[in-house]
Amino acid sequence: MRSPKVVSMDAIERAERSGRIITFYSYKGGVGRTMAVANLAWILASSGKRVLTVDWDLESPGLHRYFHPFLVDKQLRDSPGVIDGVRDYARTTTRPGGEPVSRDLDPAEIARAAQIQRYASSLEGFEFPGGGLIDFVPAGRQNSAYSRIVSTFDWADFYDRLGGGLFLDAFAEDMRRHYDFVLIDSRTGLSDNAGICTVQLPDAVVVCFTMSTQSIDGAVAVAKSIRSQRDGIRLYPVPMRVEDGELVKLERSRDYARQKFASLVDALGYADSDKYWGLVEIPYKRFYAYEEVLATFGDRHLQEGSLLAAYERLAGELVGAPVEYVPAAEPVRLGWLAEFERRAPTAPAELVIAYAPPDRMWAEWIAAELQSVGQLSVRREIDEALTSMDTAQRVLLLLSREALRSAHAVRLWRRGIDRDTPGPGRFLLPVRLDGVRLVAPYDERHAVDVFEVSPAVARQALLTVLDLPEVAAPEARRE
């Protein structure tokens, strides 16, 4: 389930803050825009800033994939977002017959409807220094109705009859009031959604492009269009996924981009445009081509030439001052990095289900449910499981009244805890089968409860804690 968003006293006391809304836009896809949003958010939060990230790419949402180790609702099935917010507003301003309630809407009612934290949830499991945080607003609930809802929403009606522009202005003001920075991941191309993100909402737009002629020309055209519609908005052209395999072609592309964007860079007030381009260029790194991995965990801090170093420089340019990024300790970084990486096909001995003899039926049921999504496992009574600890990659320890009477269970627990690494990639995962009260040492960790719930709920709890997808898999061998 989605973790509810709670407004802290700190947020209330700091409600007068005036944060900056920065949209990240690209004319074409595959530029690295979403990855930049996620990494810059992490860098800013790690410097003590309160950051909101918004996935406004309604047709192709993907920002959550860079945050998935820290999301309670990893698949976003129960997480309302942008499209739900605008639809909620449309419902509150429409009579049952379809007519708008009033053309003169009460500003207080609009402000109540535009409370962004109704749709935001905080990333969990990681503590940012200095009071920093990242809240995330998805595109909307990722269920079977999502595509239909997005494709059939009438944006023209939303603006023309329902005062949608007033609602979006209130939405932006509420974002600024609660956060230091709001980073919006806009959709590509030209559309109503792109216009909302690039013209109406932001204080600044990062215009992302690759070094192809089509990407540069498209980005320049959109940037000039934004500037013609909004006075005072800051536009930052940023080349991304820059490959250095063909140096001659690269230099020609750099010269072409700098010429086309010259007026925009001049408007930013840089005396030396070459310095600007050198600071904001984002390189291409093959390591990040295969999985959605945050560079804040994929790269070491203070390594020149890394993707993380490039994002830190870009963050400083957007903020207007060097960002004091505080990296995670090395063991913590490596522990979380493992959570981003795609796991190799599972081996039969990768997951051990340890159980007390009376709980064998539970162990068999759990093994069958995991097998249905392709996760193979072996079942071992607790004393036998102790001998498998050195070769196992993870252990599910089934806790019940009978299990807690076993001295072997205590030994297995302590050895399992010793095998753990920082982050959510736990070696030992406790599963409680009945209502037995967990005492030391078993109360050191939250257990997954599978009793007094439906089989479907119990199954989902297991898949969530193991970060397994809800998909069918080919029949696999069981032991």
Side-chain angles (χ1 to χ4, degrees), residues 441-462:
Y442 305 107
D443 59 352
E444 298 172 0
R445 176 163 304 166
H446 175 71
V448 178
D449 291 336
V450 295
F451 64 96
E452 295 182 352
V453 295
S454 68
V457 171
R459 168 191 167 90
Q460 188 57 54
L462 290 167

Side-chain angles (χ1 to χ4, degrees), residues 23-276:
T23 288
F24 289 72
Y25 170 85
S26 62
Y27 179 72
K28 300 286 289 184
V31 171
R33 180 194 72 246
T34 302
M35 185 177 185
V37 171
N39 279 283
L40 289 167
W42 203 276
I43 289 167
L44 291 171
S46 296
S47 68
K49 303 299 183 183
R50 297 169 61 87
V51 183
L52 176 68
T53 55
V54 184
D55 192 344
W56 215 295
D57 188 354
L58 303 186
E59 286 74 15
S60 183
L63 183 56
H64 64 287
R65 298 186 184 279
Y66 288 95
F67 294 146
H68 76 89
F70 312 97
L71 295 174
V72 174
D73 182 14
K74 298 183 186 301
Q75 306 301 323
L76 304 182
R77 295 188 181 96
D78 300 309
S79 298
V82 171
I83 191 64
D84 303 289
V86 296
R87 292 179 77 235
D88 289 346
Y89 170 77
R91 280 192 292 267
T92 61
T93 55
T94 306
R95 289 192 179 98
E99 289 301 315
V101 173
S102 171
R103 290 239 177 227
D104 300 318
L105 298 172
D106 182 356
E109 290 188 17
I110 295 176
R112 280 194 293 272
Q115 293 175 354
I116 189 64
Q117 292 188 325
R118 295 167 58 190
Y119 308 98
S121 56
S122 296
L123 303 193
E124 299 192 0
F126 188 93
E127 185 175 350
F128 290 100
L133 64 78
I134 296 177
D135 282 356
F136 170 59
V137 176
R141 293 184 182 89
Q142 298 301 299
N143 53 32
S144 59
Y146 177 79
S147 295
R148 175 183 56 80
I149 289 171
V150 169
S151 62
T152 59
F153 187 78
D154 191 339
W155 288 97
D157 185 69
F158 172 75
Y159 271 106
D160 296 340
R161 294 198 316 127
L162 304 180
L166 297 175
F167 168 76
L168 292 171
D169 287 342
F171 221 29
E173 192 56 35
D174 195 65
M175 294 178 192
R176 293 188 182 95
R177 196 162 47 239
H178 288 93
Y179 299 93
D180 299 308
F181 291 95
V182 179
L183 308 185
I184 297 178
D185 186 19
S186 172
R187 69 155 295 177
T188 60
L190 306 173
S191 68
D192 290 330
N193 285 330
I196 291 169
C197 297
T198 57
V199 178
Q200 182 164 3
L201 295 179
D203 305 298
V205 177
V206 177
V207 183
C208 311
F209 62 93
T210 61
M211 287 300 189
S212 73
T213 303
Q214 183 183 27
S215 184
I216 294 170
D217 288 349
V220 168
V222 171
K224 291 183 176 179
S225 175
I226 295 170
R227 188 169 63 176
S228 70
Q229 298 175 68
R230 274 282 307 275
D231 292 331
I233 191 168
R234 293 180 69 80
L235 297 168
Y236 296 87
V238 174
M240 294 184 173
R241 295 179 64 88
V242 177
E243 301 186 55
D244 60 2
E246 296 285 346
L247 288 178
V248 174
K249 290 182 179 293
L250 173 58
E251 288 305 318
R252 288 175 182 168
S253 294
R254 281 173 170 158
D255 290 341
Y256 182 71
R258 294 179 186 193
Q259 177 189 12
K260 300 289 283 187
F261 283 108
S263 63
L264 298 180
V265 176
D266 289 344
L268 292 174
Y270 284 87
D272 184 355
S273 62
D274 287 341
K275 181 179 180 181
Y276 168 82

Side-chain angles (χ1 to χ4, degrees), residues 304-371:
E304 279 302 317
S306 69
L307 202 53
L308 174 58
Y311 286 133
E312 287 186 68
R313 289 193 296 270
L314 177 57
E317 292 308 299
L318 297 180
V319 171
V323 175
E324 296 181 3
Y325 169 60
V326 179
E330 190 64 6
V332 175
R333 180 182 77 83
L334 294 175
W336 283 107
L337 177 58
E339 291 306 305
F340 286 95
E341 295 177 333
R342 186 185 300 121
R343 295 182 176 88
T346 55
E350 182 174 8
L351 178 67
V352 173
I353 302 174
Y355 63 94
D359 301 323
R360 178 169 182 168
M361 291 185 64
W362 268 109
E364 292 177 348
W365 179 80
I366 290 172
E369 293 301 315
L370 298 183
Q371 182 189 4

Side-chain angles (χ1 to χ4, degrees), residues 362 365-366 394-400 413 426 428-436 438 442 445-453 457-467:
W362 268 109
W365 179 80
I366 290 172
R394 302 184 91 175
V395 172
L396 277 182
L397 175 58
L398 308 190
L399 297 176
S400 64
W413 178 274
R426 302 295 193 184
L428 180 66
L429 301 169
V431 178
R432 189 163 59 160
L433 306 181
D434 55 32
V436 62
L438 299 182
Y442 305 107
R445 176 163 304 166
H446 175 71
V448 178
D449 291 336
V450 295
F451 64 96
E452 295 182 352
V453 295
V457 171
R459 168 191 167 90
Q460 188 57 54
L462 290 167
L463 298 184
T464 298
V465 76
L466 289 167
D467 195 18

